[in-house]
Amino acid sequence: MSPDPRLADEQHHLEAVYGRIDRIRATTNRRLRETLAESGGTPQAQSERESYERLYVDDLAKLDAAEHNLYFGRLDVNGDGPAETRRIGRIGVLDDDADDTTLLLDWRAPLSRPFYLATPADPDGVRVRRHIRTNNRAVRTVTDEVLDGSAITTDRSDTVVTLGDVVNESALVAALNTARTGEMADIVETIQREQDLIIRSPHRGVTVVQGGPGTGKTAVALHRAAYLLYTHRDLLSRSGVLIIGPNTEFLRYISQVLPSLGETGVLLTTIGDLLPGISTAVVDPPATAVLKGSTAILNVLKRHVRAYQSLPKAPVTVTFDGYPLRIDSSLVKTARAKARGTRRAHNQAQREFLRAALHGLASAYAGRIGSSLLDGSQILSGSEIADIGDEMRADEDIVRAVLAFWPRLEPKRVLTDLLTAPSAIRAATPGWADDDRAALERPAGAPFTIGDVPLLDEIAEVIGAGTAEDEAAARAQWRRQLAEAQEALDILAGSAPQDLEDEIDPEILMAYDLIDAEQLAQRQVVAAHRTTAERAYDDRTWTFGHVIVDEAQELSAMAWRMVMRRIPNRWMTVIGDTAQTSNPAGAQSWSAVFEPYVEKRWQLHELTVNYRTPAAIMRFAGRLLGRIAPTLTPPTSLRDNGIEPTAQRAASGRAVLDAVAIAIDADWPGLTGIIVADADYDSAVDALGDRPRIVVHTVTGCKGLEFDNTVVVEPAAIVAASGRGLNDLYVALTRATQRLVVVAECDLPPELADLPGWQEEN
């Protein structure tokens, strides 16, 4: 067969694209070196240099991340105007010729959209869609799809006429059959129509993507993030995009997708890491998770915070100017009423409490020293009593004694005080059952859990930690620094020599000639120039421009409150599957989650095609879905790879060991995941040892992941481990892209009892 001229044509264009990329990279590297070589200058010049440095580093990172499979598509278009050719890639590339010729269209550009949407029924002007597969910088294969029914002259067998709604079929099947590496690959070459409609949706409310296993929910969400950052660059570069995933392993798994699409400024986190200063992956027992996840816990937290606004059990005596004064219940009640009357958060209301209490003490003191000898009336004026209160404010002993009844609080201390003290739990939970109170209690020194993080965030709101008023306090501190700096310069000016001759004096420069108060104050602060994502990570009150939540069904009602504080505009993309909910406090209904926040301003999209799970595996997993969520329709598997799932009976007490041995001895191609109940995780890891192509996960740990081969160990143990054990088993069974093996000592659920190999052994 003669050489395919299409390969030479596309290779020529690919070399032109990479040549331009290399020139851009060389120019950016040169500018970065020049910027790093500069030093000194004014603070403004230093700040500008750091901004340019960040810009150049980010540009280089985007070029490097998009290097692999940079160019993957071409459209030959016969629209209303003249015929044109559009080449499509991960990033947009313009030539450096006089006309700024477009060498490559960004896949997110409007002109690229027919690559994903065009079909024979609606070709959108596209005559031929070409898929280009490359390896490093060489074109390997070219496949053409004829969409308008016209004939093209070629003797190649890889020219097809596309039918149906699944487009890019050859590239899609090749991608699905590629062995997994432990990191998620993007789907930019193979985005399907139903996915593209979600990725480019203009809806500015909550977009909910419901889809069964393997429907590409995560890929859709990540590509939507890249699309929104491209389309709304000005807004989202300032406010940022937050992506919340179910666990840190999942975040590691998806971490390279956005950089490969040319985006690096996104914050990826879990609920356990969303609050600055807290990082936890510890999971509560089911009963505790339900209590902490319910909004019923709100009143518990508020009651507990109010308990710190206490009354003295006996009067406390303080001394001012030699006179004893009493802090008693009457004085504290009055001050407390004044503070609560402000309706401000606890820490912010403390100022009013202190003012009112000191006013009461100052009035008592004035009554001692300023009463008329004739009729006992007060002879001191109100301003004089206020001055006495100001003097008392400078007395640390008095202030400390007063604030013992309205202390400044910190979220970690408040929650720890509550959960480690049965008496505090009992006081904050009137009407609760003793079993529920016991479920909340934990020993002193126990780590915070994922369920605690939304509670800590709620407490921060109740007490006013990290609020705008704290920022106001920081600004007040800055004003004090500024005043101190000005005072220092004034002292320097006052100590300048006064006896110099007039003609000499102008030639002598003093500190106040070179620097003003603001510059002097700034030099006492360590400046940090950070990305939007870095600044957002350390700021509890940061609000994002867009938030994406993956495995969203796992979030409790309290976790949603925490998320909603970070997205007041409610522009969100939420992806999940209520049939895969493992968290006993998780979602069962999307309307119940979102209508309290956005009423009807949310849209539901359903993905219906299962790209990951072969039909033979889904046939058994789908039976479980009938018990878990009978109203949901299982997604239709795109592939049937001919590999039947099997089940094997384990020897007594050896389910984990037998499963590990099967995975090792089989030496299957690709990545193998062994999924076990939580209680069996440590023993499975110990039995496996160091096997790079085999990994062990619990059901919680494998959320959102996929493996070429999956070994599910002891379904009965997985089902028994939680109140939603069948959901967990459904998750475990649907992780495989090629092969599923079930290993069990106990009987299988009825839905799996006819797995090949199981009946033969029984």
Side-chain angles (χ1 to χ4, degrees):
M1 184 180 293
S2 61
D4 186 349
R6 298 175 301 174
L7 289 175
D9 182 31
E10 299 305 343
Q11 183 65 46
H12 176 74
H13 189 76
L14 183 66
E15 289 170 0
V17 173
Y18 275 116
R20 175 60 176 142
I21 289 289
D22 289 342
R23 294 193 295 276
I24 295 173
R25 184 182 282 114
T27 300
T28 305
N29 269 314
R30 174 179 56 77
R31 290 173 176 170
L32 177 60
R33 288 194 303 270
E34 292 172 351
T35 300
L36 293 174
E38 296 178 8
S39 62
T42 66
Q44 180 178 352
Q46 294 175 31
S47 177
E48 289 176 355
R49 282 201 304 273
E50 288 169 353
S51 297
Y52 279 119
E53 177 187 344
R54 171 70 68 179
L55 173 66
Y56 297 145
V57 169
D58 286 349
D59 286 348
L60 289 171
K62 291 175 182 178
L63 292 174
D64 292 343
E67 172 84 12
H68 174 65
N69 204 14
L70 174 64
Y71 169 38
F72 56 80
R74 166 176 158 168
L75 295 173
D76 291 340
V77 181
N78 294 329
D80 296 333
E84 63 173 313
T85 296
R86 303 174 191 168
R87 266 119 173 168
I88 299 162
R90 296 177 178 278
I91 59 176
V93 180
L94 297 178
D95 205 349
D96 47 2
D97 58 12
D99 297 325
D100 288 333
T101 304
T102 299
L103 294 174
L104 210 58
L105 277 171
D106 192 297
W107 68 273
R108 297 165 288 190
L111 288 176
S112 299
R113 196 172 191 191
F115 186 76
Y116 302 107
L117 294 186
T119 65
D122 183 13
D124 197 14
V126 177
R127 185 174 69 89
V128 178
R129 173 170 47 217
R130 176 170 293 175
H131 307 283
I132 301 105
R133 295 185 68 80
T134 62
N135 185 12
N136 294 323
R137 296 190 172 195
V139 176
R140 294 306 183 195
T141 62
V142 172
T143 304
D144 284 340
E145 292 177 277
V146 181
L147 300 182
D148 68 352
S150 63
I152 63 173
T153 303
T154 176
D155 59 355
R156 312 302 301 180
S157 61
D158 49 4
T159 298
V160 297
V161 176
T162 301
L163 300 174
D165 288 332
V166 176
V167 298
N168 314 356
E169 187 168 353
S170 61
L172 175 61
V173 173
L176 294 175
N177 287 326
T178 300
R180 269 52 194 166
T181 65
E183 290 185 348
M184 185 179 181
D186 63 67
I187 61 168
V188 66
E189 303 168 70
T190 58
I191 294 170
Q192 299 301 300
R193 170 181 285 271
E194 68 173 4
Q195 297 171 327
D196 189 84
L197 292 173
I198 298 168
I199 290 169
R200 301 177 195 253
S201 169
H203 182 56
R204 293 298 290 261
V206 177
T207 298
V208 180
V209 184
Q210 163 78 34
T215 52
K217 299 184 296 297
T218 298
V220 167
L222 294 176
H223 287 71
R224 177 160 171 76
Y227 172 77
L228 292 176
L229 283 162
Y230 174 87
T231 308
H232 304 279
R233 177 74 62 190
D234 290 345
L235 168 65
L236 296 182
S237 63
R238 295 192 305 270
S239 57
V241 173
L242 171 68
I243 297 180
I244 301 174
N247 52 62
T248 54
E249 179 65 20
F250 172 82
L251 296 182
R252 187 202 61 77
Y253 173 63
I254 69 171
S255 61
Q256 292 306 308
V257 173
L258 284 168
S260 75
L261 299 173
E263 298 298 343
T264 57
V266 176
L267 177 60
L268 281 73
T269 188
T270 65
I271 289 294
D273 293 324
L274 186 53
L275 190 64
I278 295 289
S279 180
T280 179
V282 180
V283 179
D284 284 306
T288 308
V290 170
L291 293 171
K292 291 181 179 178
S294 168
T295 54
I297 200 73
L298 289 171
N299 287 332
V300 175
L301 301 177
K302 292 174 182 177
R303 287 190 197 101
H304 182 61
V305 168
R306 280 215 162 193
Y308 290 95
Q309 302 166 6
S310 59
L311 298 174
K313 296 179 180 177
V316 175
T317 300
V318 294
T319 301
F320 178 73
D321 197 25
Y323 288 88
L325 301 172
R326 295 188 352 147
I327 302 174
D328 56 19
S329 290
S330 176
L331 182 142
V332 173
K333 278 183 180 179
T334 301
R336 189 171 68 177
K338 294 279 189 182
R340 289 177 176 174
T342 65
R343 307 193 69 79
R344 303 170 84 184
H346 174 93
N347 285 354
Q348 277 68 57
Q350 186 194 61
R351 182 183 305 174
E352 178 59 25
F353 176 83
L354 178 61
R355 188 203 65 76
L358 293 180
H359 178 76
L361 289 174
S363 297
Y365 173 76
R368 299 282 298 274
I369 68 168
S371 299
S372 170
L373 295 176
L374 296 175
D375 59 6
S377 61
Q378 179 58 254
I379 61 175
L380 295 181
S381 67
S383 61
E384 288 172 320
I385 294 175
D387 289 340
I388 294 171
D390 290 341
E391 291 181 41
M392 289 181 174
R393 189 184 296 272
D395 190 315
E396 292 183 2
D397 291 335
I398 294 177
V399 170
R400 188 182 305 111
V402 169
L403 293 186
F405 304 103
W406 194 292
R408 188 169 186 84
L409 300 178
E410 189 275 327
K412 293 179 186 178
R413 171 198 164 187
V414 172
L415 189 60
T416 299
D417 288 351
L418 171 65
L419 299 183
T420 59
S423 59
I425 293 174
R426 189 165 50 253
T429 56
W432 278 38
D434 288 341
D435 288 346
D436 288 342
R437 289 171 175 159
L440 275 186
E441 186 182 348
R442 68 163 178 243
F448 287 112
T449 67
I450 296 173
D452 289 333
V453 176
L455 307 191
L456 290 167
D457 194 61
E458 194 72 40
I459 291 169
E461 285 291 305
V462 173
I463 67 176
T467 62
E469 299 216 8
D470 277 0
E471 294 176 10
R475 289 194 294 271
Q477 174 64 22
W478 167 249
R479 288 194 293 270
R480 286 193 293 271
Q481 287 179 262
L482 200 61
E484 291 169 0
Q486 185 62 57
E487 184 179 354
L489 290 176
D490 290 344
I491 292 172
L492 284 174
S495 62
Q498 302 297 317
D499 56 353
L500 294 176
E501 298 179 10
D502 290 342
E503 64 271 16
I504 297 177
D505 183 49
E507 299 179 7
I508 299 178
L509 293 177
M510 302 298 291
Y512 46 80
D513 294 316
L514 301 174
I515 191 170
D516 61 21
E518 184 169 358
Q519 291 171 323
L520 181 59
Q522 285 175 337
R523 293 194 177 191
Q524 313 310 311
V525 179
V526 178
H529 298 273
R530 302 181 297 167
T531 66
T532 297
E534 289 169 339
R535 288 182 285 121
Y537 182 77
D538 291 328
D539 185 351
R540 190 190 74 83
T541 62
W542 189 277
T543 55
F544 292 86
H546 193 80
V547 169
I548 292 174
V549 185
D550 202 344
E551 299 292 343
Q553 74 278 356
E554 299 302 319
L555 270 62
S556 68
M558 288 299 295
W560 279 115
R561 285 177 63 87
M562 183 181 187
V563 171
M564 291 299 179
R565 289 191 188 101
R566 284 142 181 85
I567 186 71
N569 67 7
R570 303 293 191 256
W571 190 19
M572 305 173 68
T573 303
V574 174
I575 58 177
D577 179 11
T578 52
Q580 298 185 61
T581 305
S582 296
N583 185 355
Q588 293 293 290
S589 161
W590 297 123
S591 60
V593 170
F594 295 113
E595 289 188 2
Y597 296 102
V598 297
E599 295 184 343
K600 300 298 182 182
R601 199 167 60 91
W602 66 282
Q603 292 182 350
L604 177 65
H605 297 262
E606 294 193 59
L607 296 173
T608 60
V609 179
N610 187 334
Y611 303 98
R612 176 179 67 221
T613 316
I617 296 175
M618 203 62 204
R619 192 160 52 247
F620 290 94
R623 297 174 183 174
L624 287 177
L625 184 62
R627 289 179 61 186
I628 299 166
T631 61
L632 295 180
T633 302
T636 302
S637 292
L638 182 67
R639 298 176 302 136
D640 191 346
N641 62 354
I643 303 175
E644 286 291 321
T646 62
Q648 298 188 33
R649 174 79 73 171
S652 178
R654 288 188 53 87
V656 170
L657 297 177
D658 286 356
V660 171
I662 288 169
I664 293 173
D665 294 343
D667 194 25
W668 292 308
L671 183 65
T672 297
I674 301 174
I675 303 178
V676 298
D678 290 4
D680 293 327
Y681 178 78
D682 290 338
S683 59
V685 170
D686 292 342
L688 178 63
D690 185 15
R691 306 272 177 173
R693 301 299 300 161
I694 306 175
V695 294
V696 177
H697 284 287
T698 63
V699 175
T700 301
C702 76
K703 285 275 184 178
L705 306 183
E706 60 182 30
F707 315 99
D708 297 283
N709 319 288
T710 301
V711 180
V712 177
V713 183
E714 203 60 83
I718 292 174
V719 172
S722 78
R724 293 185 175 170
L726 284 175
N727 300 59
D728 290 343
L729 182 58
Y730 179 64
V731 171
L733 294 174
T734 54
R735 298 303 96 194
T737 65
Q738 302 294 343
R739 179 180 288 101
L740 169 67
V741 176
V742 176
V743 179
E745 176 186 346
C746 302
D747 288 340
L748 297 179
E751 292 82 2
L752 306 181
D754 59 343
L755 273 168
W758 187 253
Q759 290 179 328
E760 289 85 341
E761 296 183 14
N762 294 277

